[in-house]
Amino acid sequence: MNDGAGNAYRSVAVVGAGVIGVSWTALFLGHGLRVTVNDPRPDVEDVVRAGLDEIAPTMRELGLPIAGAAARTEALRFEPRLAAAVAGADVVQENGPELLGVKQELWAVIEEAAPPHALLLSSSSGIPATAMAEHMREPERLLIGHSFNPPHLVPLVEIVPGRHTDPAVVERAGRFYRGLGKRPQVLTKEIPGFVANRLQAALFREAIYLVTEGVVTEQELDDIVTASIGMRWAAAGPFRTFHLGGGPGGLPAFFRHLGRALEEWWGQSGTPHLDGPTVALLNEQAQHFGGSVEELAAERDAAQIAVMRALGEIPGPAREEENERFR
Amino acid sequence: MNDGAGNAYRSVAVVGAGVIGVSWTALFLGHGLRVTVNDPRPDVEDVVRAGLDEIAPTMRELGLPIAGAAARTEALRFEPRLAAAVAGADVVQENGPELLGVKQELWAVIEEAAPPHALLLSSSSGIPATAMAEHMREPERLLIGHSFNPPHLVPLVEIVPGRHTDPAVVERAGRFYRGLGKRPQVLTKEIPGFVANRLQAALFREAIYLVTEGVVTEQELDDIVTASIGMRWAAAGPFRTFHLGGGPGGLPAFFRHLGRALEEWWGQSGTPHLDGPTVALLNEQAQHFGGSVEELAAERDAAQIAVMRALGEIPGPAREEENERFR
């Protein structure tokens, strides 16, 4: 893969092969990159191959079939020794446990073993690059490349540089992710949870309040969201939505007319906590979504792919002849 | 229009012809209903016709062309006297000012003048039916039918019965809205702002915080939402999303793994207020969305229609020959 600015990418090391690591692996393979997976668990190869099999139909839909690549040993390798895994990598995408000490140890090893040109990217959803790079010799090389889950499907990647990250590296990371068809967004400040997770956490807290108050069930709340906010925010984000909600006067008119109502709702927002009874109630209702997790996930992915296709995020329907090659 | 349970609808009175009233008028006309518009402003007919002209292309896209209907005087009438406007109505959809006293006066008149079988629906986004019906002889007839804006496009209608509303009326209102292709949802409790607005207000507050903190701009935040949360919640609501985020273990596994992170983000959520400097900063950034409100609205509507079509909410592309009739 070439990023259009003279940087060629052939080989990625995926460090940590949980759900996120497997998803990144699928995305990289789908774009013709070689992937070396590093994970200490003894059954890593079985786990990753099973995960890739599960993702394969979605990748076909996205026009990025991986079945062939995953079968070729030169495209997908497993290497339990971290230093050896990253030795030939153009990119390291790290998805280790969310523990500061563990991350710091991983990056100290990676920094020594990876080639000097390698892009060093962490999937961390909460630990800032500045903290993670504290024991690195060259902290300017490290940054966060955090996908909204799962990376093989959702376009967003939040790029969060640390205090010492080199702006040129930030630029390169953006080009790399764009080359994979993603929509990276650089955050200007390190903030816990970054932007997307903080936003969904804020809405989810009010959602939990409304369910625990008995205003609606989880299923009803989900139906309300898909029939309103969801399809709206797929088309235009919250600021643009309220800007247009203000009519010809835009956002200023919106605040004049509805600012007071907003403040009022904020004042009455719920502040539930995830204590035992709350979690028990929420878990109980989730039993009634009408399908296994696998069935519901397949349903959601199909719907999301249809939405992405409608928005021009991915090309038209996968062609049969293309898919045939990998069946 | 027939609701499939023996109730036929021919005529709707739209009380209050602001943006919401005009949008309901378009939806009703698009489904072949006769509409009588009631509004005290002297230029109401010009305002409504201009609004309908603006909505017409979207209605064509939705397969519900209104240009012909809006031109026929028997399909669209204007009646400045409230009692006369509702006298022959099968349904009253009220969109008056959000002032309790005004609403109570309107409903006292409507109750006397409308036929006994008429469905009495208020678009209020904040005043509960119980309060609005306080001076009615038959409060059991009144309920909220609150659309996510604009009703001609967005599927959600929140149905909120008051304390005295007859369950049979709630059932009829649901059938009526479903007959118009909407996705009504009945709330079990009266709560200010109802569900959809409370949810979007909660997320918007955090969005304002992130922009005022300088983490991202409004444009960047909107891009983050459309590339992640938006397209995801168009396909599956927040509870289902986290249920699937938990992997095979579902929501219980999600709370075990990420409950602590959620609580942490909640603890650090911003609590901005809409004071002068905040609103000034937010308004300034909204100047840079790269288009007039009209252009951006057309863009958003086109994207949203594409999303709705992808999700099977509306039929395939409008056929040319159908549209020709009304050009």
Side-chain angles (χ1 to χ4, degrees), chain B residues 22-23 25-27 29-30 47-71 150 152-153 298 301 305 309 318 322-324 326-327:
Chain B
V22 171
S23 174
T25 299
L27 182 72
L29 289 174
V47 169
V48 170
R49 290 197 183 279
L52 292 176
D53 283 350
E54 211 178 291
I55 293 173
T58 299
M59 296 300 290
R60 268 204 303 274
E61 280 291 315
L62 295 170
L64 302 167
I66 57 166
H152 70 271
L153 181 57
D301 287 355
I305 287 170
R309 200 163 274 146
E322 245 179 38
N323 297 348
E324 286 306 330
F326 300 102
R327 273 180 192 146

Side-chain angles (χ1 to χ4, degrees), chain A residues 25-309:
Chain A
T25 299
L27 182 72
F28 298 143
L29 289 175
H31 283 272
L33 296 165
R34 291 200 305 266
V35 179
T36 304
V37 175
N38 167 263
D39 194 294
R41 63 188 289 179
D43 59 347
V44 56
E45 184 158 353
D46 291 346
V47 169
V48 170
R49 291 198 183 279
L52 292 176
D53 283 349
E54 211 177 292
I55 294 174
T58 300
M59 296 302 290
R60 268 203 304 273
E61 280 292 314
L62 295 169
L64 302 167
I66 56 165
R72 292 200 316 276
T73 47
E74 72 271 31
L76 177 62
R77 290 195 313 128
F78 295 85
E79 173 52 68
R81 296 162 304 163
L82 178 57
V86 304
D90 301 312
V91 179
V92 178
Q93 181 81 45
E94 172 269 317
N95 323 277
E98 288 287 271
L99 299 163
L100 178 59
V102 176
K103 298 273 199 202
Q104 288 177 335
E105 273 176 44
L106 287 175
W107 285 114
V109 174
I110 295 169
E111 179 181 37
E112 294 303 321
H117 73 273
L119 261 178
L120 306 187
L121 303 160
S122 172
S123 295
S124 175
S125 63
I127 304 176
T130 302
M132 226 181 291
E134 229 164 61
H135 304 317
M136 283 176 76
R137 276 190 300 111
E138 300 179 281
E140 58 271 27
R141 296 182 66 190
L142 183 66
L143 43 70
I144 305 280
H146 172 251
S147 163
F148 200 79
N149 189 25
H152 70 272
L153 181 57
V154 179
L156 177 66
V157 180
E158 288 172 292
I159 293 180
V160 197
R163 206 174 305 137
H164 307 293
T165 311
D166 180 353
V169 173
V170 176
E171 171 67 24
R172 258 188 79 201
R175 285 181 174 279
F176 172 67
Y177 287 126
R178 274 193 294 278
L180 299 170
K182 298 286 112 179
R183 277 167 58 186
Q185 189 67 58
V186 179
L187 309 196
T188 316
K189 275 191 190 176
E190 292 184 298
I191 187 167
F194 313 138
V195 171
N197 275 336
R198 288 179 76 101
L199 293 176
Q200 73 172 345
L203 182 140
F204 194 52
R205 190 176 204 184
E206 185 66 14
I208 289 174
Y209 173 71
L210 292 167
V211 167
T212 54
E213 283 292 301
V215 177
V216 279
T217 64
E218 292 180 356
Q219 176 70 59
E220 289 167 347
L221 187 136
D222 275 4
D223 287 345
I224 284 175
V225 169
T226 54
S228 59
I229 298 171
M231 61 174 66
R232 171 114 301 180
W233 287 343
F239 282 106
R240 196 170 286 225
T241 291
F242 284 142
H243 181 57
L244 302 178
L251 200 59
F254 170 81
F255 282 128
R256 275 197 304 279
H257 296 144
L258 283 166
R260 195 170 298 178
L262 262 186
E263 292 259 19
E264 202 174 298
W265 297 331
W266 290 346
Q268 298 163 355
S269 287
T271 51
H273 287 278
L274 296 175
D275 52 33
T278 301
V279 170
L281 183 150
L282 297 172
N283 287 347
E284 201 284 319
Q285 288 201 13
Q287 304 307 308
H288 309 295
F289 285 146
S292 69
V293 165
E294 291 70 23
E295 287 161 354
L296 295 171
E299 214 173 82
R300 177 203 62 186
D301 287 355
Q304 184 169 342
I305 287 169
V307 168
M308 291 171 69
R309 201 163 273 145

Side-chain angles (χ1 to χ4, degrees), chain B residues 192-214:
Chain B
F194 312 137
V195 171
N197 275 337
R198 290 180 75 102
L199 292 177
Q200 73 171 344
L203 182 141
F204 194 53
R205 191 175 203 185
E206 185 66 14
I208 289 174
Y209 173 72
L210 293 167
V211 167
T212 55
E213 283 291 301

